[in-house]
Amino acid sequence: MVPGGVLRPSGCGVDRAFGVRDIRALILAPAGDASGPVVPLVTRATESTDTGCLVGDYGALPDDAIALVGPGECLRRDQVIAAQQAGAAGFVAVFPKVPPGIVLRPTLVDPRDLSIPAAAVSQGAAEALVAAAKDGVPARLVTDAHTEQARTRTVLAELPGSADGQVIMLGAHLDSVIDGPGINDNGSGVAALLEIARSLGGTRPQATVRMAFWSGEETGLHGSTRYVAALSPNQKDAILVYANVDMIASPNGFAGVYDEPGAAVGSATASELLGAAVTRNGGTPVQVNLHGGSDHYGFVEAGMATAGVFSGFLEPVSAEQAAASGAEAGRLADGCYHQPCDDLGNIDLQLARVLAAGLADFTVQVANNPELLTG
């Protein structure tokens, strides 16, 4: 993926050009060149309207419109497709909660059916586009992107149990984003699984412990969803719980334990046991809802019980989270999320140890006593 792009809104007779620091093509978006009026679905760069998921959200677009869209209750891919079907010539994603100077670019999951240039912009570029729309002046969006198919491999490891037909599964994704080294996201999760695997060496639990090191998470959860789709009904029934480990060393983080309203039956019990294990290992668990935004999503969709640990990402830490962890309220849990600075200087090793130890404790407990999950 070549991330280059140029955005040139005009206003008050003066052109403003934004480049790679302020604009990046969305992952898997096609290259393109669009010039036309800006049509914002937001009135301010810092506003989120939870819209843009339906063709009707865009109204009667003028010819060659460039749609400026905040986060909605759907995937960015769904928004791009809706804008495209509504007649937009270009799509620009804005992120109201992202601090100035940061550009996030989500994946569009599948390049098929995408035909318009789509990019993410910084807050400064978004403000310039809002101003251009207000002044009634056009903008030009140019992206230079190239997508190729490549084969990836998920790595599976298994510690056989003494009883047949019962599996405790843990998983973490191996890949990082194109824009950063991914030490917290998700080197921390991979390191936790490797340490848990080392500690289980030579043991024989009742339930089989299976670990998955997923590929393709950052480009659309490809490794985990493909794995789940290939499971037979009996194989699905054998997995008592899938526990996900995605980011556990955020430098201003907290001891998050999954609590997702849409999770399948058995998830609440698993999350309660995992939270208790985190407590036993020195953490104060805080319930978090990732809205299916990691590798547990495929398991949730398949009706399988899920749990997981998480230390926060590009969201301000709440007062509750700060009180539980000692983090600074109002500051981002991980200001380097999906950025080049997600390196070895961007981790809280003590928090990672607490969450990894809690997950290991939980794994040993339920693998030796699977009736805790089934009873």
Side-chain angles (χ1 to χ4, degrees):
M1 179 78 180
V2 179
V6 175
L7 176 69
R8 189 181 295 275
S10 304
C12 302
V14 178
D15 283 351
R16 295 186 62 188
F18 294 90
V20 69
R21 290 180 179 272
D22 291 278
I23 171 174
R24 295 184 183 175
L26 300 188
I27 296 173
L28 302 184
D33 186 340
S35 296
V38 178
V39 179
L41 271 65
V42 293
T43 57
R44 298 187 306 277
T46 56
E47 175 190 61
S48 180
T49 57
D50 293 331
T51 189
C53 297
L54 303 174
V55 174
D57 293 339
Y58 296 86
L61 291 176
D63 291 344
D64 302 319
I66 297 174
L68 184 67
V69 187
E73 293 295 324
C74 64
L75 298 174
R76 282 293 190 180
R77 173 185 169 78
D78 298 328
Q79 291 184 320
V80 175
I81 292 291
Q84 183 177 290
Q85 292 176 343
F91 180 95
V92 176
V94 298
F95 294 87
K97 295 182 180 181
V98 173
I102 292 179
V103 181
L104 288 184
R105 50 175 183 150
T107 176
L108 298 183
V109 183
D110 186 341
R112 291 174 294 183
D113 302 322
L114 300 172
S115 61
I116 63 175
V121 295
S122 67
Q123 192 177 109
E127 289 170 350
L129 284 169
V130 170
K134 183 178 180 181
D135 294 340
V137 295
R140 184 183 183 193
L141 170 66
V142 182
T143 61
D144 178 12
H146 177 67
T147 301
E148 294 181 356
Q149 287 189 335
R151 183 179 295 276
T152 65
R153 293 187 183 276
T154 288
V155 179
L156 296 174
E158 192 165 282
L159 176 66
S162 59
D164 291 332
Q166 293 180 315
V167 177
I168 308 301
M169 191 165 183
L170 313 178
H173 70 85
L174 282 170
D175 60 320
S176 65
V177 293
I178 297 170
D179 299 325
I183 299 303
N184 186 27
D185 184 17
N186 186 35
S188 62
V190 171
L193 287 198
L194 291 173
E195 181 61 17
I196 294 171
R198 186 199 63 78
S199 68
L200 290 174
T203 67
R204 186 72 183 275
Q206 183 175 335
T208 292
V209 177
R210 182 179 302 154
M211 293 188 178
F213 299 85
W214 304 117
S215 69
E217 191 270 353
E218 296 290 5
T219 54
L221 312 180
H222 295 296
S224 54
T225 54
R226 184 183 179 102
Y227 172 82
V228 173
L231 293 173
S232 69
N234 287 340
Q235 289 171 328
K236 288 180 181 178
D237 290 342
I239 299 174
L240 303 182
V241 66
Y242 169 75
N244 197 51
V245 198
D246 189 356
M247 298 181 62
I248 61 168
S250 302
N252 188 50
F254 49 86
V257 174
Y258 290 13
D259 178 31
E260 300 194 351
V265 173
S267 300
T269 297
S271 292
E272 182 179 348
L273 291 169
L274 180 53
V278 169
T279 300
R280 289 194 295 271
N281 286 276
T284 301
V286 178
Q287 295 179 339
V288 293
N289 182 3
L290 271 64
H291 303 281
S294 190
D295 283 305
H296 62 298
Y297 178 73
F299 293 85
V300 174
E301 289 290 285
M304 303 165 72
T306 54
V309 286
F310 175 66
S311 60
F313 68 137
L314 204 64
E315 291 276 349
V317 171
S318 69
E320 177 194 6
Q321 292 164 346
S325 63
E328 181 182 341
R331 189 163 69 87
L332 302 181
D334 182 2
C336 289
Y337 173 72
H338 284 194
Q339 301 297 309
C341 57
D342 185 12
D343 54 24
L344 288 171
N346 186 55
I347 54 175
D348 182 339
L349 279 178
Q350 181 55 33
L351 178 57
R353 290 187 184 102
V354 167
L355 288 175
L359 182 62
D361 186 338
F362 164 81
T363 302
V364 171
Q365 181 186 29
V366 296
N368 286 310
N369 304 276
E371 68 276 5
L372 293 173
L373 296 171
T374 59

